[in-house]
Amino acid sequence: MSLLVVGSVAFDAIETPFGKTERTVGGAATYFSLAASLFSPVRLVGVVGEDFAANDEAVFHGRKIDLAGLERAAGKSFFWAGRYSDDLRTRETLRTDLNVFAAFQPKLPDAYRDSSFVFLGNIDPQLQRNVLKQMRRRPKLVALDTMNYWISGTRAELEKTLKLIDALLINDEEACQLAGESNLLRAARSVLRMGPKALVIKRGEYGSMMFHRDSILAVPAYPLEEVHDPTGAGDSFAGGFMGYLASHAQANHVSLRRAMVYGSVLGSFAVEKLGVERLRAIKRREAESRARQLVRMMHIKL
Ligand code: AMP
């Protein structure tokens, strides 16, 4: 089923103890689309500048990613630079040049307005609502990402947006900040009262949790011996999660739980190589195999 993503398409400069790149195509919508398109065709809405060349766009080729919604604006593309510590546990943002992203007003091509699954990437909550207003009918599932900047800076707007969505995918710090709570469980309960029916909390190498109805699901991160670049892991998680749901055209309790496994799996692929390199190369059967292994790791009988 149709899956729409709205978010950043960027040039990233990434420095890790394992390598460095001065300029590679990144951005939340890029990681999301590469991960999700393994399962379902993706419709992308974003903006790039005049410096985004045909060979940059090639990152999306070979996958079912519709770029009709990728706007080209006068100016430079969004640029982000980050450096990781030796143990990859902390990251310093060296630069964020919003460039054309600063004036981004998502415009949905007419053919996108019937999308059944929608992922609203980390942008101004008012713009996220604007995307929903452009839909012809209520999607089956709307999921959203946000960050500390919007939680503290535009809280009232974010609260309005949260009332309109089905699932919120954030990390543990953001959940605590949003709820004003230091305990994760209490934070989750409080966030669920703000509107979303499902809350997915990503905790990096410690796995992820989903709070839905009265149940809690904890899924481990797929254990890896070598992690080279954590950039985009969260967006790839979201891509795996939403791509799985869209491919099954379902958003019920059981499918949401299964989607958590695919989120975890796609997050694990994303971190194996620098930038989007590993995500671009992965095959569906590799993801399925890793999903089966992860489920086996979780299987205990008491
Ligand atoms: P993550 O590692 O999940 O934070 O995702 C990193 C990706 O998000 C990079 O490819 C960046 O280009 C992109 N990014 C960084 N800062 C922002 C921002 N403020 N808004 C949207 N995307 C961003």
Side-chain angles (χ1 to χ4, degrees), residues 215-229:
S215 82
I216 304 175
L217 173 72
V219 175
Y222 183 84
L224 292 170
E225 272 190 36
E226 291 204 35
V227 174
H228 281 180
D229 175 16

Side-chain angles (χ1 to χ4, degrees), residues 8 10 12 26-28 31 78 80 84 91 101 122 147 230-235:
S8 60
D12 288 350
Y31 282 98
F78 178 70
W80 175 82
Y84 289 86
R91 174 171 90 184
F101 199 53
N122 165 33
M147 68 188 286
T231 310
D235 309 312

Side-chain angles (χ1 to χ4, degrees), residues 108-172:
L108 270 52
D110 196 54
Y112 286 17
R113 292 174 206 254
D114 63 352
S115 301
S116 301
F117 290 79
V118 176
F119 184 71
L120 302 169
N122 165 33
I123 55 171
D124 184 333
Q126 217 171 334
L127 295 182
Q128 292 174 321
R129 275 206 313 282
N130 220 341
V131 171
L132 295 182
K133 278 194 203 122
Q134 294 176 53
M135 303 301 300
R136 249 195 303 273
R137 54 185 160 81
R138 178 59 170 85
K140 227 177 163 77
L141 181 111
V142 178
L144 181 132
D145 182 19
T146 192
M147 68 188 286
N148 49 11
Y149 179 80
W150 306 115
I151 297 171
S152 58
T154 58
R155 196 178 177 94
E157 289 297 331
L158 180 60
E159 283 179 4
K160 275 198 222 168
T161 305
L162 288 176
K163 290 198 169 61
L164 306 175
I165 64 154
D166 303 293
L168 176 65
L169 282 76
I170 48 179
N171 67 34
D172 42 5

Side-chain angles (χ1 to χ4, degrees), residues 64-134:
K64 288 191 175 131
I65 302 173
D66 186 340
L67 299 177
L70 183 62
E71 189 191 329
R72 217 165 265 274
K76 283 182 165 183
S77 303
F78 178 70
F79 177 74
W80 175 82
R83 186 197 293 137
Y84 289 86
S85 60
D86 284 346
D87 62 6
L88 295 176
R89 288 205 165 88
T90 51
R91 174 171 90 184
E92 188 189 350
T93 291
L94 303 174
R95 235 170 119 161
T96 303
D97 298 340
L98 292 175
N99 298 329
V100 294
F101 199 53
F104 180 43
Q105 293 285 339
K107 281 183 279 303
L108 270 52
D110 196 54
Y112 286 17
R113 292 174 206 254
D114 63 352
S115 301
S116 301
F117 290 79
V118 176
F119 184 71
L120 302 169
N122 165 33
I123 55 171
D124 184 333
Q126 217 171 334
L127 295 182
Q128 292 174 321
R129 275 206 313 282
N130 220 341
V131 171
L132 295 182
K133 278 194 203 122
Q134 294 176 53

